[in-house]
Amino acid sequence: MVEPRIALIGGASGTGKTSSARLLANEFGFHHTLGTGFAREICKHYIKFEDNKYLHAFSFDDTLDKSGYQLLLEQSLELYHPIKMCVNRAKREGTSLAIEGVNIMPELYDSLSVDLKIILINKKRENHGLMCRSESHSKRLVTEENLDNSRIIQNSLINSALKYNWPTMECTQFRDYLIEGDF
C-alpha cells in the first residue's frame, strides 16, 4: 500500500493546476482533489461581500482598489485556515489529498508539512490565454486585461516560489517531474 501523500499545487489562472491535480488522482492514486476556487465559494457563503470584497472577486479582477498579487493575497488570507484544516484531516485519516488553486501562495502555505509544494507556470502568453479560457472554465469571461493581470500574478508567484524554494514548471513537465523525483 502506498503511503498517503498531500500536494499543494499553485499557479495563476490558466497554468494547468486542475489537470495536474487530476493526474495525481488518476495516475498516483490520490483519494481527493480540492480546488481553492471551490473552497472560496464555500467561504463566500459565510463571509459577506461587505466584510471582504476581495474574496468575492476573481484573482485577476481589475475593478477593485487592489489588484494583481495584492488582491490575491487579501483573498487568500481567508482560505488559509480552511485549507490547513483539510490538510490536517487528510493526515489524521490517512487520505491522499491534492489541493490546487491560484490561492496556494508559497508565503501562506510554506510552513505546512506536505509532500509536494509546487507553482505551475505558463511561459507563453498565447498559450496562457487559451488555458484561461479552457474547458474547465468555459463559461468564464477572461478579457485581455484579465490575462495581463494573470500574467502579473504569475510573475509574483514565481518570485514567491523562488524565495521559499518551491519548484516552478509548466504543467507539461509535471508528470515527468513526479516520476523523476520518485514521487
Side-chain angles (χ1 to χ4, degrees), residues 48 62 107 150 170 172:
K48 294 180 176 148
D62 59 0
E107 59 265 39
S150 188
E170 299 245 6
T172 56

Side-chain angles (χ1 to χ4, degrees), residues 118-121 157-159 161-162 166-170 173:
I118 194 163
I119 297 295
L120 296 178
I121 62 173
L157 283 168
I158 290 169
N159 290 333
L162 288 170
W166 286 33
T168 62
M169 70 191 62
E170 299 245 6
Q173 301 169 306

